[in-house]
């Protein structure tokens, strides 16, 4: 199978869908003439013209709201945030407008649109550029939140997100755009709301999503050498969460470790821990463990980055703890 | 014209003083009926709110009727409308049956938003009413986006985006004005300038109290409009709509109007003098239109009695309909949240 970059997979998804449906357009800072801050939309201005690939001023609140209004009136916008850190300026339009419109109008105005861009930290960028808001958006009914971990999933999920008739938050990573992976040439869609078992195992379940899936898979690989068999689940969507896949796995392995890039309080791991204790309490042979980020803003120095993020070492320790092998 | 009230600074150069257009008898009679329906509906809403039949927040349009009346006579059926939470009158005037607007105030399933919106969130896709919105200024980018969609499809519809003078201080307005001019979006921004952002008068919110200047920083055609007369509103809207349909982009109208009541039903409006309110009531838009109709001999006193009786009947029927309508079932919490039919809500 051919191998392409994550950013190319995203571009293919948008390009294919835009060819299918005239109502889709892409809007954001530097998406057109600059070819995208991270080159996701490279060449799309040439292909679709300025009517459908729209450069905006630096005005996230304004252009997010304009896109929601366009969605109310029949278009299917894709809004690119240069990073979801900047989406906080626009969050009124995401939460108060996009997520509420269908309900407030008694089912008259749905909002078929995608807000996409990179989430999470990406090295030494300092506190304001190093935040993960998956759980913030996942908390809000009316939204769907998708966080792919590799190019093939990214393409299939983004195509589904663009076709979805509800507002979808689609979160990528600066550190994944250059990742290469096998991506089928023929058309395919990956459904929103379904997790995938990315590695089968019997001793412990690891749940993760997005960029941190690399840590989960690397940990599983390393532990295999020690004779520990990890089952790794990629959530892919964090609203809605595919609890069934997690519960089924825990019923088999009886142990659960959740790994995510998020501050610990009210994170996705908090939510999953609740649901697993509620639905599979009798199957658990050990308390659930989780690896989150440090409960602090991420400072600039490299030592902070090292200390802040989930890694293989910390995940290994958690797995050994739930196996009582520490 | 409105200068008697001290909080309004001297009007800008482009003030539309008197309407130049000759309006027909039909237009005047329509305006009168429409405005009287808005007035009587709101008076009934106030009464029902007092009886606690209507809950939540309730922002009345009383005093501002000429703005909607003049806007609608100057626009087409397929034009789009979006406003803030003071939205009952917009909804009724656009043709949503009064009973459906009243039922929405009651929170009944027969309301125009199925009891899910309430006073601040009237919607009707059928009537091109893109809603009443509750976050001050939040509807301003939405209005520009509605216009963007029409421009995108090559349509010649115009979006009428209304907001109050309080919303003009939100960043959303300034970001939107910039992009709307940049892209020449077919939208008319109406500042229904009633002089007060809730309880704070215009001059207490800014160093530059002339509201007409806020479009000028973006080179947006901007006009001050006498909002107590449907004629002047009509004329300003008609010119702005023509510009928009020709592809010349947005217009900003600083429409000077006045609300007789508080910001919402819970506001006793102690920040204004009785004299100020009385001063405005002398220019009541409904009375002024009535005087014109009589002066022009478009109708006699008997006609006004007929209209009054007819509207009384409409409002009474709306109340009866609402009283007799059921509330939505509690399970309706889980409908209309997602367009997707089988969304797996968390229920434990």
């Amino acid at each position: 199978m051919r191998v392409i970059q994550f950013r190319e997979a995203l571009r293919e998804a948008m390009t294919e869908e835009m060819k299918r449906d005239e109502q889709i357009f892409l809007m954001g800072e530097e998406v057109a003439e600059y070819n995208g801050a991270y080159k996701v939309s490279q060449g799309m201005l040439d292909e679709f013209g300025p009517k459908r690939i729209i450069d905006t001023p630096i005005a996230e609140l304004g252009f997010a709201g304009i896109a929601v209004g366009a969605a109310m009136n029949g278009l299917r916008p894709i809004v690119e945030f240069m990073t979801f850190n900047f989406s906080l300026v626009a969050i009124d339009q995401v939460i108060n407008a996009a997520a509420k419109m269908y309900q407030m109008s008694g089912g008259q105005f749905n909002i078929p649109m995608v807000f996409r861009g990179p989430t999470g930290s990406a090295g030494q960028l300092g506190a304001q550029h190093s935040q993960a808001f998956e759980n913030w958006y996942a908390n809000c009914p009316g939204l769907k939140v998708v966080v792919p971990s590799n190019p093939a999933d990214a393409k299939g999920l983004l195509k589904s997100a663009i076709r979805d008739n509800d507002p979808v938050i689609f979160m990528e990573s600066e550190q994944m755009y250059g990742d290469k992976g096998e991506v089928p040439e023929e058309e395919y869609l990956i459904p929103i709301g379904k997790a995938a078992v990315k590695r089968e195992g019997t001793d412990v379940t690891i749940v993760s999503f997005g960029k941190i899936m690399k840590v989960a898979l690397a940990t599983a690989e390393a532990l295999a050498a020690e004779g520990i068999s990890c089952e790794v689940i990629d959530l892919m969507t964090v609203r809605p969460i595919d609890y069934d896949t997690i519960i089924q796995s825990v019923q088999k392995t009886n142990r659960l470790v959740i790994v995510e890039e998020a501050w610990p309080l009210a994170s996705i791991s908090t939510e999953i821990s609740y649901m697993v204790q509620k639905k599979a309490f009798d199957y658990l042979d050990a308390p659930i463990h989780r690896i989150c980020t440090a409960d602090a803003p991420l400072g600039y120095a490299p030592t902070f980055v090292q200390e802040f993020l989930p890694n293989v070492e910390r995940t290994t320790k958690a797995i050994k703890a739930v196996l009582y092998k520490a | 014209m409105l200068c008697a009230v001290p909080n309004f600074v001297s009007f800008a150069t482009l003030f539309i003083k008197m309407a130049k257009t000759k309006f027909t008898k039909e237009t005047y009679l329509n305006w009168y009926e429409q405005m009287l329906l808005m007035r009587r509906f709101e008076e009934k809403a106030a009464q029902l709110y007092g009886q606690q039949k209507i809950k939540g927040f309730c922002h009345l349009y009383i005093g501002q009727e000429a703005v909607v009346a003049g806007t609608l006579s100057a626009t087409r059926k397929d034009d789009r409308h979006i406003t803030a939470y003071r939205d009952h009158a917009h909804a009724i005037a656009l043709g949503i049956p009064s009973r459906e607007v009243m039922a929405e105030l009651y929170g009944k399933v027969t309301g125009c938003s199925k009891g899910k919106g309430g006073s601040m969130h009237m919607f009707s896709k059928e009537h091109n009413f893109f809603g009443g919105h509750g976050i001050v200024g939040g509807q301003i980018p939405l209005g520009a986006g509605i216009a963007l969609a029409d421009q995108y499809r090559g349509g010649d519809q115009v979006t009428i985006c209304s907001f109050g003078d309080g919303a003009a201080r939100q960043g959303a307005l300034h970001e939107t004005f910039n992009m709307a001019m940049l892209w020449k979006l077919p939208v008319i921004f109406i500042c229904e300038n009633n002089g007060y952002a809730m309880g704070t008068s215009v001059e207490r919110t800014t160093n530059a109290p002339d509201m007409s200047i806020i479009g000028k920083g973006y080179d947006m055609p901007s006009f001050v409009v006498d909002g107590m007369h449907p004629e002047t509103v009509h004329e300003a809207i008609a010119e702005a709509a023509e510009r928009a349909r020709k592809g010349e982009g947005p217009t900003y109208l600083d429409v000077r109007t006045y609300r007789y009541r508080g910001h919402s039903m819970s506001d006793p409006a102690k920040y204004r003098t009785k004299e100020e309110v009385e001063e405005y009531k002398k220019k009541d838009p409904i009375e002024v239109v009535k005087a014109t109709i009589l002066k022009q001999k478009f109708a006699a006193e008997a006609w006004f009695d007929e209209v009054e009786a007819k509207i009384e009947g409409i409002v009474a029927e709306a109340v009866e309909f609402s009283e007799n309508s059921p509330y939505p079932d509690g399970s309706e919490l889980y409908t209309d949240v997602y367009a997707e039919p089988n969304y797996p809500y968390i229920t434990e």
Side-chain angles (χ1 to χ4, degrees):
Chain A
M1 203 187 292
R2 68 173 180 150
V3 169
I4 61 172
Q5 287 185 346
F6 199 107
R7 61 165 61 83
E8 294 171 305
L10 295 172
R11 187 187 312 143
E12 279 190 3
M14 290 193 287
T15 300
E16 288 175 18
E17 292 306 302
M18 285 182 68
K19 284 182 184 161
R20 253 185 95 240
D21 185 348
E22 277 282 321
Q23 308 306 316
I24 302 166
F25 69 92
L26 173 66
M27 163 183 263
E29 292 154 4
E30 310 291 3
V31 297
E33 293 202 5
Y34 193 84
N35 283 303
Y38 297 101
K39 305 301 167 207
V40 173
S41 56
Q42 188 150 37
M44 289 179 70
L45 174 63
D46 290 341
E47 185 164 1
F48 296 104
K51 180 183 143 189
R52 300 184 68 193
I53 308 294
I54 305 171
D55 273 331
T56 66
I58 299 170
E60 286 86 3
L61 174 63
F63 70 72
I66 286 173
V68 176
M72 289 179 82
N73 193 6
L75 300 188
R76 306 183 73 91
I78 304 170
V79 164
E80 179 175 306
F81 289 125
M82 198 179 288
T83 135
F84 268 96
N85 292 289
F86 304 163
S87 78
L88 295 199
V89 183
I91 203 165
D92 170 55
Q93 289 295 337
V94 180
I95 304 293
N96 280 321
K100 302 292 185 293
M101 206 64 73
Y102 193 55
Q103 190 261 9
M104 288 194 307
S105 66
Q108 296 181 77
F109 292 95
N110 66 308
I111 306 296
M113 69 179 293
V114 177
F115 296 97
R116 51 156 289 271
T119 180
S121 67
Q124 291 177 251
L125 299 176
Q128 292 180 328
H129 283 70
S130 305
Q131 306 169 93
F133 295 118
E134 287 87 328
N135 57 328
W136 288 36
Y137 289 111
N139 182 248
C140 181
L143 300 177
K144 296 178 181 178
V145 183
V146 176
V147 198
S149 67
N150 64 56
D153 291 354
K155 181 174 177 186
L157 285 165
L158 184 53
K159 284 170 70 84
S160 293
I162 294 168
R163 291 188 197 186
D164 203 283
N165 288 322
D166 294 305
V168 179
I169 309 289
F170 193 93
M171 304 175 104
E172 305 148 13
S173 162
E174 280 112 308
Q175 292 177 322
M176 287 199 291
Y177 287 133
D179 287 359
K180 290 181 175 171
E182 290 187 339
V183 175
E185 296 204 42
E186 63 277 11
E187 174 162 82
Y188 64 98
L189 296 170
I190 297 176
I192 290 173
K194 293 273 173 263
V197 176
K198 291 289 172 73
R199 182 185 176 115
E200 290 197 14
T202 53
D203 296 334
V204 59
T205 300
I206 309 175
V207 169
S208 190
F209 56 91
K211 182 180 77 188
I212 301 301
M213 270 299 292
K214 288 182 194 175
V215 172
L217 289 167
T219 307
E221 185 65 28
L223 287 174
E226 296 182 31
I228 296 171
S229 168
C230 301
E231 179 142 298
V232 183
I233 293 174
D234 184 352
L235 289 178
M236 302 204 287
T237 303
V238 296
R239 186 178 186 97
I241 290 173
D242 179 0
Y243 297 106
D244 289 347
T245 298
I246 302 167
I247 303 284
Q248 277 165 24
S249 179
V250 169
Q251 285 172 342
K252 179 172 74 172
T253 65
N254 311 112
R255 293 162 211 277
L256 176 61
V257 171
I258 308 158
V259 195
E260 69 172 323
E261 180 176 349
W263 294 311
L265 198 151
S267 61
I268 299 296
S269 60
T270 313
E271 168 59 25
I272 291 172
S273 300
Y274 167 78
M275 207 56 95
V276 170
Q277 67 81 30
K278 181 88 192 294
K279 292 191 163 180
F281 187 76
D282 290 339
Y283 289 92
L284 286 170
D285 286 346
I288 298 163
H289 278 233
R290 69 170 175 195
I291 307 295
C292 288
T293 67
D295 191 19
L298 176 50
Y300 171 74
T303 43
F304 293 147
V305 178
Q306 177 63 29
E307 184 68 23
F308 181 83
L309 285 170
N311 57 25
V312 171
E313 187 194 347
R314 227 170 276 143
T315 309
T316 300
K317 217 171 143 190
I319 287 168
K320 289 192 173 170
V322 301
L323 287 163
Y324 299 110
K325 289 187 174 183
Chain B
M1 298 176 87
L2 304 182
C3 291
V5 180
N7 63 303
F8 290 118
V9 297
S10 62
F11 289 171
T13 47
L14 293 167
F15 185 71
I16 299 173
K17 279 192 173 0
M18 288 300 286
K20 293 179 289 277
T21 320
K22 272 272 171 212
F23 294 98
T24 62
K25 169 185 164 183
E26 236 183 344
T27 305
Y28 272 103
L29 300 187
N30 272 339
W31 278 339
Y32 184 82
E33 267 201 67
Q34 209 169 42
M35 291 197 293
L36 194 70
L37 178 59
M38 295 181 219
R39 176 74 54 95
R40 297 289 178 255
F41 183 95
E42 293 289 60
E43 285 167 352
K44 180 54 80 175
Q47 191 190 348
L48 294 164
Y49 191 89
Q51 296 168 9
Q52 281 297 285
K53 298 265 189 190
I54 296 170
K55 309 278 177 117
F57 297 129
C58 189
H59 309 83
L60 302 179
Y61 202 66
I62 296 175
Q64 302 184 203
E65 295 91 346
V67 184
V68 160
T71 298
L72 292 190
S73 59
T75 47
R76 298 191 325 217
K77 267 248 178 276
D78 63 339
D79 288 333
R80 330 291 190 175
H81 299 262
I82 185 166
T83 187
Y85 39 81
R86 198 178 304 284
D87 61 345
H88 314 163
H90 292 75
I92 294 168
L94 279 165
I96 306 176
S98 296
R99 48 157 55 187
E100 292 178 22
V101 179
M102 188 63 83
E104 192 59 38
L105 290 176
Y106 268 76
K108 298 295 180 79
V109 73
T110 49
C112 59
S113 302
K114 297 201 237 169
K116 295 181 174 187
S119 167
M120 298 187 283
H121 306 302
M122 305 287 172
F123 284 85
S124 174
K125 200 168 203 172
E126 184 194 340
H127 296 91
N128 285 313
F129 187 42
F130 287 71
H133 296 267
I135 308 297
V136 176
Q139 79 280 14
I140 300 172
L142 296 174
I146 293 162
L148 181 135
D150 286 321
Q151 182 192 60
Y152 187 97
R153 282 189 293 261
D156 70 343
Q157 297 90 343
V158 171
T159 299
I160 315 299
C161 179
S162 306
F163 49 89
D165 45 277
R169 306 303 169 196
Q170 287 275 29
L173 176 137
H174 295 273
E175 296 187 17
T176 303
F177 274 24
N178 184 45
M179 283 180 273
M181 270 311 283
L182 180 66
W183 299 329
K184 301 290 182 285
L185 299 179
V187 54
I188 304 170
F189 296 108
I190 301 184
C191 178
E192 294 190 70
N193 183 356
N194 61 28
Y196 291 89
M198 197 167 153
T200 308
S201 64
V202 167
E203 77 271 14
R204 290 179 57 226
T205 64
T206 178
N207 181 52
D210 181 354
M211 301 285 303
S212 72
I213 66 171
I214 60 176
K216 291 180 183 167
Y218 308 97
D219 276 348
M220 192 183 296
S222 302
F223 302 91
V224 179
V225 181
D226 173 1
M228 301 305 275
H229 295 86
E231 296 95 328
T232 43
V233 176
H234 176 108
E235 205 152 72
I237 296 280
E239 285 175 17
E242 194 186 334
R243 259 194 304 283
R245 289 191 223 284
K246 281 197 297 199
E248 292 171 13
T251 299
Y252 167 66
L253 302 177
D254 170 8
V255 180
R256 306 275 165 106
T257 181
Y258 201 77
R259 61 170 153 79
Y260 297 172
R261 302 297 185 101
H263 166 74
S264 69
M265 281 303 294
S266 57
D267 170 22
K270 288 183 176 159
Y271 42 85
R272 308 188 296 196
T273 60
K274 212 174 168 184
E275 293 72 33
E276 179 181 311
V277 178
E278 290 311 313
E279 187 65 27
Y280 270 94
K281 285 188 176 172
K282 283 184 210 154
K283 305 171 193 155
D284 184 80
I286 298 175
E287 289 305 317
V288 169
V289 165
K290 182 177 178 179
T292 307
I293 290 172
L294 287 170
K295 192 175 158 206
Q296 300 282 333
K297 299 194 171 29
F298 289 150
E301 278 293 349
W303 181 81
F304 294 98
D305 296 341
E306 274 168 44
V307 171
E308 189 75 52
K310 181 173 142 194
I311 284 170
E312 196 180 314
I314 291 171
V315 174
E317 196 276 338
V319 173
E320 198 191 337
F321 173 78
S322 305
E323 288 279 348
N324 295 330
S325 292
Y327 288 113
D329 191 85
S331 64
E332 294 287 325
L333 264 180
Y334 293 111
T335 57
D336 303 325
V337 179
Y338 290 93
E340 178 192 331
N342 299 312
Y343 184 86
Y345 297 94
I346 298 173
T347 53
E348 57 191 315

